[in-house]
Every structure is written in structure tokens, then in C-alpha cells.
Amino acid sequence: MARYRGPVEKLERRLGVSLALKGERRLAGKSALEKRPYAPGQHGQRKAKVSEYGLQLREKQKAKFMYGVSEKQFRRLFAEATRREGNTGALLISLLEQRLDNVVYRMGFASTRRFARQLVTHGHILVNGKRVDIPSYRVRAGEKIEIIEKSKENPQIVRAIELTNQTGIVAWVDVEKDKKYGIFTRIPEREEVIIPVEERYIVELYSK
């Protein structure tokens, strides 16, 4: 399955949860999910019974769409998490959090992961002083993430940083807002990553 490119608010309504796919609109309480908190379509307001498989699949879809990864990328990350020692679900979330596009988002340089991905692919991001345009690049503890000089006054980036005064910044990054760079200080613990995903269902789905 390719990366989802359709209307994201309809997607959030279908899954019944905010996936942070809309930035300022979501923070202002104007998202479609808040206005119509039920699935889209003619029968969207009906309460359908969800099977165990359906529940597992929904949790996988939440994670995939939230982090903006394809099915192939997601399976590859899950396989790597499985090979490592520790809790597979927690390791999967850690690997997703280390993606460069996600770290750019977590540092507040973009109001959504989708915009963060665009910044990366268009060459606006430096890692340790070198341009990296691969969203899936795995950021390691201690690496410096910086907006290139000519993009530091980009209105969308400036506005995203302003919004962090409202939303805050996660504890595992250290950001210099004025200079528009940050350090990925450490890999977060699972309990620190507040997302509407129960990864144990994903593990069950792929373990069949």
C-alpha cells in the first residue's frame, strides 16, 4: 500500500481519533473530527461492532498514518523491532520517533509531520551541518538538527515555532528556538510518547 495522500480529516474521522495531521486548525478546535465526531459516509453514525482483527488493523493504520510511513516501511521497522531485545511494540514506536521528519516535527519546526517531511525532502534540513533529504533517516542521540540559513525566516516555520509556546516541546529534544536548531538528546521511553496508539495490537497482528 502506498503512502496515503487523500483528505486527512476524513481519515481521522474514519479512525475516530486525532492523528495530528492538521496543525493550527486542530489546535484551534476547528478540525472536522471535532465538528463531526463520527465516521464519514451515509452510515457513519452507526455503531458497528469491531472484530479483534479490525481492532488490530485500526491500531496499525493509526501508527502508519500518524507517522506518514508506507506499508513496506512499516513492516521493515516492525521486523527490526522484532530482532532487537526488549518490548517489540515499544521498540517499534522508538524507531518511528527517530525518523528525521518526526524529529523535525517534535522540535517544533513544522506544525505537522507532513510539513516536516516536505521540509526534509526539499532540502531545508541539516543534520550535523550536512544537508539530509531523506525523511526516514534515523536520528541518533546527540545529533544536531538545523534549518538551513536561507529558510530560517520561512513564515510557516516561524509560525510553527510560535505554536510551541502553546503546545510545548517534548523532553527528549533540546531546541534553540531563536537560532532554529535542536539536539536530539536521547531516545524517548515509551511512556513519554503520548500518541493514541496501542502498539500491542500491532504486535498481535504481525505475529499471526
Side-chain angles (χ1 to χ4, degrees), residues 12-32:
E12 289 183 327
R13 288 179 61 206
R14 176 154 59 87
L15 294 173
V17 66
S18 173
L19 302 177
L21 301 178
K22 284 286 186 179
E24 196 163 359
R25 180 180 169 87
R26 170 178 57 88
L27 295 173
K30 296 180 180 179
S31 70

Side-chain angles (χ1 to χ4, degrees), residues 189-202:
E189 299 294 329
R190 175 61 186 95
E191 57 269 19
E192 295 179 289
V193 183
I194 309 302
I195 55 174
V197 175
E198 294 188 53
E199 64 275 6
R200 63 187 178 90
Y201 289 116
I202 302 173

Side-chain angles (χ1 to χ4, degrees), residues 147-163:
I147 304 295
I148 62 172
E149 192 62 38
K150 70 177 184 179
S151 300
K152 287 185 176 180
E153 299 308 315
N154 179 303
Q156 288 179 280
I157 296 174
V158 171
R159 181 55 181 158
I161 293 172
E162 289 175 354
L163 289 173

Side-chain angles (χ1 to χ4, degrees), residues 153-187:
E153 299 308 315
N154 179 303
Q156 288 179 280
I157 296 174
V158 171
R159 181 55 181 158
I161 293 172
E162 289 175 354
L163 289 173
T164 62
N165 295 325
Q166 178 180 344
T167 61
I169 295 178
V170 294
W172 55 93
V173 298
D174 186 9
V175 179
E176 287 285 345
K177 294 182 182 181
D178 294 337
K179 298 179 180 179
K180 298 180 178 62
Y181 77 82
I183 305 295
F184 184 71
T185 57
R186 60 182 175 83
I187 298 172

Side-chain angles (χ1 to χ4, degrees), residues 33-179:
L33 181 64
E34 296 217 15
K35 294 179 180 179
R36 291 168 290 173
Y38 48 84
Q42 182 179 356
H43 305 295
Q45 297 189 59
R46 292 183 180 180
K47 293 291 183 181
K49 186 177 180 180
V50 181
S51 66
E52 181 182 1
Y53 173 76
L55 184 60
Q56 294 167 349
L57 184 62
R58 185 169 63 185
E59 294 306 306
K60 184 191 77 167
Q61 289 175 323
K62 286 181 188 178
K64 276 178 52 184
F65 294 134
M66 173 173 280
Y67 287 97
V69 298
S70 66
E71 177 67 24
K72 184 177 180 180
Q73 289 174 318
F74 198 83
R75 282 183 175 273
R76 189 183 300 127
L77 287 171
F78 182 83
E80 182 172 348
T82 303
R83 290 193 298 269
R84 294 189 178 191
E85 186 176 342
N87 183 290
T88 300
L91 288 167
L92 173 63
I93 299 302
S94 293
L95 291 170
L96 288 165
E97 283 291 323
Q98 287 180 264
R99 286 175 53 94
L100 178 57
D101 54 359
N102 179 74
V103 174
V104 170
Y105 166 73
R106 290 296 194 185
M107 288 183 170
F109 299 145
S111 56
T112 65
R113 289 181 178 86
R114 179 176 283 195
F115 180 46
R117 178 184 177 84
Q118 186 178 22
L119 289 178
V120 175
T121 57
H122 289 186
H124 297 279
I125 302 298
L126 303 177
V127 178
N128 293 334
K130 296 181 179 180
R131 188 170 302 194
V132 177
D133 59 5
I134 303 171
S136 61
Y137 172 88
R138 187 169 302 162
V139 182
R140 291 165 176 78
E143 290 194 311
K144 179 181 179 181
I145 311 301
E146 185 177 9
I147 304 295
I148 62 172
E149 192 62 38
K150 70 177 184 179
S151 300
K152 287 185 176 180
E153 299 308 315
N154 179 303
Q156 288 179 280
I157 296 174
V158 171
R159 181 55 181 158
I161 293 172
E162 289 175 354
L163 289 173
T164 62
N165 295 325
Q166 178 180 344
T167 61
I169 295 178
V170 294
W172 55 93
V173 298
D174 186 9
V175 179
E176 287 285 345
K177 294 182 182 181
D178 294 337
K179 298 179 180 179

